[in-house]
Each structure stands twice: as C-alpha cells, then as structure tokens.
Amino acid sequence: MLELFSTRCDGLTLTDVSKGLGLPKSSTLGLLRTLHGRGYLVREADDLYKLNDIVRRDGFARHGRLLRVAPPAMRALADELGETVILAITGSPGMVRLIAKEVATREVRFDVDLPRQEPAYCTAIGRVLLGAQDDAQVATALAAVPRRQVTDATLTDQQAIEERIAEARRSGVSIVEDELVLGATGIAALIPRTGQQTLAALNVGCISARFNANRERIILALQTAANGIGSAMQPDRAA
C-alpha cells in the first residue's frame, strides 16, 4: 500500500486503493486507518489519502520509528485532556513542520490540516525546538522568517523571543498564548532523544480559558507523554 501511495502525489481514495491492490474495501479501510493513525498518510476533507510529505521527502527510515511510536501516546493524551495534540519536527529555516495529529473529540476544539509548516518564532512548538539548538542555529532561524505581528500579542522583538527560547531550553516546555491565534494557547514539550534521533516535540492546543483552569495538569500530562515517547524511542537495550 505504501508503494502504491509513493507513485501517486495527487492522493488516492478508498476505492482507488481497494481496486489498485485487489482488496475488499473493509480490509483496505482498516489498513488506511492504521497508516493514517501512525502518521504515514494524511487524510484530506474529500476523503482523499496522501503519503505524508515528510515520509515522501525523507523516506520511511528516518522518521518511521517516531511516526510509529508517537501516535498511540498522542491519542491517549488527547483523550485524557480533551485537547488536540500535534507532533512536529524542524522544517525549512525558521519554520516547524507539523507531521501528525490526534484531534480532540469535544465539540469546541482546535484542528489543523496536515502537512503544514508554522513559523517557529511565535509558536510554542517552534520555541521549544529552537531551545534544543545552539545560539548560532537560533539566530539563523530567527533571521530566516519575517517576524510579523500575527496578533496584538505576537512577540516580534528578537531579544524578547530569545528570552522565551532560553526559558524553553531550561525547562523543556514552552507556552505561547494568543500570539498565533487570539484566544488560543499552545503548550509544547521537547521529546527527549539520543544520538541521531529526530528532533521532535509535542504540542497541546487549548482554548486559553481551558488551559488557565487546568494549567498544571496539562503541563504535567504533556511532559509525561513526551518523556514516554522519548523512552520508547530508545534502542532496545536487550538487543
């Protein structure tokens, strides 16, 4: 199925895949849901499935383990908090790439289309990923993207942004309120890594009032989930 998707940049429907592989629709749907849940495929509004561009660009080996390990923990976190959870990695200079999501089931919730890139300077997940990089890399990233005033709360002063990044570097967590979307708070935590593993982070997207009412609970649950993914990404010590 993945080989079939690798040949079709325009995407495939359930019927297309079922016919292409000679499988019943029921079996095909189960496989599509599994690949979508693990981040290998993205699903668009018209029920069209496409290969995640991060997989198409970098191959299955580089991010395959992350896309396999993270989604179950993300789903559990989304269900626990009732908020949408997003997985991101570094993208083009000054940007972060959102590569997987688990959407909250409550009626009022946040959602984003994937694949997608967001500016690092004004997002929680961007600042926490920048905090894992050295000062030269941070300076390059901040210079790569115009720091426009997205909302009245958006920080554009480089020194102020660098202070937030330094805080994220110390704590492993970043919180951004109203800077990208008014009334919305993003909370991001770095996923621990070793060696050449992918630099990645988890983000919880909340309505600000819900975050403020459950601040400590949300931060603790997010850190626990990120640390759990980091532990699961470690090489098998018994191997």
Side-chain angles (χ1 to χ4, degrees):
M1 186 176 289
L2 290 172
E3 289 175 352
L4 178 64
F5 275 100
S6 71
T7 67
R8 291 287 298 272
C9 294
D10 56 339
L12 297 162
T13 64
L14 169 61
T15 299
D16 293 333
V17 179
S18 176
K19 289 181 178 179
L21 297 179
L23 293 174
K25 282 190 175 181
S26 58
S27 302
T28 303
L29 181 59
L31 290 169
L32 285 172
R33 285 175 172 169
T34 297
L35 292 174
H36 176 256
R38 293 183 177 181
Y40 290 107
L41 300 179
V42 295
R43 182 181 178 184
E44 301 192 342
D46 54 359
D47 287 334
L48 194 70
Y49 292 86
K50 293 183 178 181
L51 194 64
N52 192 323
D53 74 331
I54 196 68
V55 175
R56 185 180 297 280
R57 186 190 69 185
D58 296 336
F60 298 102
R62 183 175 177 189
H63 305 301
R65 185 171 178 80
L66 177 63
L67 290 171
R68 184 172 68 253
V69 167
M74 294 168 62
R75 183 68 260 164
L77 181 61
D79 290 341
E80 177 185 352
L81 298 179
E83 306 291 356
T84 295
V85 179
I86 294 171
L87 175 68
I89 61 175
T90 53
S92 56
M95 304 292 285
V96 291
R97 185 179 295 272
L98 313 185
I99 62 172
K101 65 179 179 178
E102 292 294 339
V103 180
T105 57
R106 64 171 70 194
E107 289 187 10
V108 180
R109 62 184 183 268
F110 288 101
D111 195 4
V112 294
D113 294 328
L114 297 180
R116 183 188 186 95
Q117 289 203 96
E118 296 281 10
Y121 75 93
C122 63
T123 57
I125 206 159
R127 289 178 185 168
V128 84
L129 287 170
L130 287 174
Q133 301 174 53
D134 62 36
D135 291 342
Q137 291 172 312
V138 170
T140 298
L142 293 180
V145 176
R147 296 189 299 277
R148 65 186 183 90
Q149 192 85 31
V150 183
T151 73
D152 290 342
T154 308
L155 291 181
T156 58
D157 178 73
Q158 182 161 335
Q159 182 177 347
I161 295 170
E162 288 174 347
E163 288 173 357
R164 299 297 197 282
I165 292 169
E167 183 179 339
R169 183 178 292 145
R170 289 190 297 269
S171 66
V173 174
S174 179
I175 300 169
V176 169
E177 184 174 355
D178 295 336
E179 292 193 46
L180 188 65
V181 179
L182 285 175
T185 296
I187 314 95
L190 196 67
I191 296 174
R193 64 172 184 153
T194 58
Q196 299 301 310
Q197 289 177 357
T198 302
L199 178 61
L202 279 188
N203 184 88
V204 174
C206 301
I207 291 176
S208 295
R210 290 205 300 246
F211 172 70
N212 292 329
N214 298 279
R215 181 185 182 95
E216 299 306 322
R217 173 173 170 260
I218 290 171
I219 293 173
L220 178 59
L222 173 61
Q223 289 178 307
T224 300
N227 289 336
I229 293 170
S231 296
M233 289 285 291
Q234 300 301 313
D236 186 354
R237 291 183 174 85

